[in-house]
Amino acid sequence: MERILFSKPYINNRTYSEAAHKSFLDKLAFLDEDERNKVFDIASRIQIPHEKAKMHPKIAAYKNVVNEWNRNDKKEVGAQRSRQSYSSYKSSPPFLAGVISNETLPRVYRILGALIHTIEPLGCSVTDTLSFIIRNESVSLEIYEMQDKVDHVLTKSEENQLRKYEEDKKRYSWASKPNFRKYDYVFNGQLCININQNQNKRFRDTKSSIVEDQLGILLIEMYEASEIIRKEREAREEERRKREEVERLREERRKRYMIEVERTVALTNLAQDYAMACKIRAFVAALESSGNLTGEDLQWIDWAKKKADWYDPIIAREDEFLGKREHEKGKDLKTEYSWWQ
């Protein structure tokens, strides 16, 4: 079994009032009593791994990602470093990259190690990108190092540019003064942690307390954040379900409408064929009643009656030459002969 070295526990050295204790438990009110007490008990005993302790495998692997990105960071020394200030880059820096000095990163890794070793007995885990999976919800931390704003001191290169400008402007009217920034931003070792980039869930180094002193409260807030995320996710899923249901009903109605249209068109086509059959029979009956019919007339009448039966969708007689009439279709589609109306 891997042996983890811990420094002294931080949160144990803090004394909370009964009201504060109740407030922390209230934040976990969505848990059942046993789980709530277990989380609070473990949160109250968080320990920071010793500097010589072996890193958690996920942290050790992710450390390479941060180092690689920092090596390729093209920002000038002294330029402001925050996730927002990298917005012009093709891709924003990965978690921890660019916003924490190399001197402070080991401290951050120990803080993350403390949190990971604390949540694992609670059935939680961490992803390869160091997002925490709490109660099956992804809770991310934003960790960055504060920076002091100081007056910019010209570099030798900038001094040479300024000197050249002074010389050029004596000879050329178009000489352009180089533009140097007025301030530099210097990492000061003070950490700030936000939960899911929520400014209201911020933990930072102060004169009276460092982040390590607040990890127990941070863990409880992460649990509370997981519940908020769960509710928001379920609300989104419910909203999506409603949208999908509305769309399903709309599509169902559209299909039923199209079926109704098709059935109505078929009905009118059937009625038109039947009307034609009735017209033919009426004409034949009139012809029969006229008398003085020749043999040829009688043959024609027999043929006409068969055509009436061919038109009639109720009888639907198949014609020797015209085949079977598709009564439900439009007049141009009733037979294989497009010219036949």
Side-chain angles (χ1 to χ4, degrees), residues 12 25 72 106-107 162 170 177 194 216 232 245 255 273:
N12 268 359
L25 289 178
N72 296 322
R107 178 189 169 198
L162 189 60
K170 295 176 181 178
K177 185 177 182 179
N194 297 331
E232 291 176 346
E245 179 64 12
K255 289 179 178 179
D273 274 12

Side-chain angles (χ1 to χ4, degrees), residues 60-319:
Y62 190 76
K63 179 182 176 182
N64 296 327
V65 175
V66 176
N67 289 344
E68 178 67 18
W69 200 94
N70 285 343
R71 277 195 299 270
N72 296 322
D73 187 4
K74 304 302 182 182
K75 276 211 164 191
E76 298 178 8
V77 175
Q80 188 176 23
R81 281 168 164 77
S82 66
R83 292 188 66 85
Q84 292 75 19
S85 67
Y86 283 103
S87 59
S88 60
Y89 280 46
K90 291 183 179 179
S91 60
S92 58
F95 175 54
L96 302 180
V99 294
I100 300 173
S101 65
N102 292 332
E103 294 75 18
T104 304
L105 274 172
R107 178 189 169 198
V108 174
Y109 293 140
R110 290 197 300 275
I111 290 172
L112 290 171
L115 289 171
I116 295 172
H117 286 299
T118 299
I119 68 167
E120 287 180 332
L122 293 169
C124 305
S125 61
V126 66
T127 67
D128 292 340
T129 56
L130 303 188
S131 286
F132 291 84
I133 306 301
I134 299 176
R135 301 169 63 243
N136 296 321
E137 304 296 342
S138 178
V139 179
S140 61
L141 298 180
E142 180 187 28
I143 306 178
Y144 58 92
E145 185 175 351
M146 306 296 288
Q147 300 167 63
D148 290 332
K149 182 178 178 181
V150 299
D151 291 334
H152 176 64
V153 178
L154 294 179
T155 64
K156 288 185 177 180
S157 174
E158 290 170 340
E159 288 178 345
N160 290 336
Q161 293 178 52
L162 189 60
R163 189 178 302 111
K164 184 176 183 304
Y165 161 72
E166 295 294 341
E167 294 173 355
D168 287 346
K169 74 175 183 178
K170 295 176 181 178
R171 293 177 292 175
Y172 311 110
S173 60
W174 46 259
S176 178
K177 185 177 182 179
N179 184 26
F180 305 126
R181 63 173 178 271
K182 295 181 179 180
Y183 304 103
D184 284 333
Y185 295 87
V186 183
F187 287 120
N188 60 20
Q190 297 178 7
L191 289 178
C192 183
I193 302 178
N194 297 331
I195 300 176
N196 290 343
Q197 297 187 344
N198 185 342
Q199 300 295 320
N200 295 323
K201 302 293 183 182
R202 171 179 289 183
F203 299 83
R204 57 176 296 179
D205 292 334
T206 65
K207 292 181 180 180
S208 60
S209 173
I210 57 176
V211 167
E212 288 84 342
D213 294 332
Q214 308 167 56
L215 294 188
I217 306 172
L218 172 63
L219 179 60
I220 291 173
E221 294 283 4
M222 289 170 68
Y223 258 82
E224 184 183 34
S226 75
E227 177 66 5
I228 295 172
I229 293 170
R230 182 190 68 80
K231 289 180 178 179
E232 291 176 346
R233 174 182 58 78
E234 290 182 351
R236 289 194 302 271
E237 290 173 353
E238 177 63 15
E239 185 63 28
R240 182 174 66 251
R241 187 197 65 77
K242 290 180 179 179
R243 289 197 304 270
E244 290 174 351
E245 179 64 12
V246 169
E247 183 60 29
R248 185 190 68 80
L249 292 174
R250 182 184 294 114
E251 179 63 14
E252 183 178 296
R253 181 172 179 80
R254 186 191 69 80
K255 289 179 178 179
R256 290 176 61 186
Y257 170 81
M258 293 306 299
I259 291 173
E260 196 67 16
V261 168
E262 290 173 1
R263 292 181 66 189
T264 303
V265 170
L267 174 61
T268 58
N269 291 334
L270 287 165
Q272 287 172 359
D273 274 12
Y274 181 74
M276 179 58 71
C278 291
K279 286 182 178 180
I280 293 174
R281 289 176 183 140
F283 175 72
V284 169
L287 184 61
E288 286 177 320
S289 64
S290 66
N292 299 322
L293 298 176
T294 66
E296 186 178 351
D297 292 335
L298 293 175
Q299 287 181 353
W300 186 90
I301 287 172
D302 182 62
W303 173 86
K305 287 180 177 180
K306 291 178 180 178
K307 281 295 180 284
D309 290 345
W310 179 73
Y311 262 108
D312 191 338
I314 298 174
I315 299 176
R317 179 190 181 94
E318 186 170 354
D319 188 88

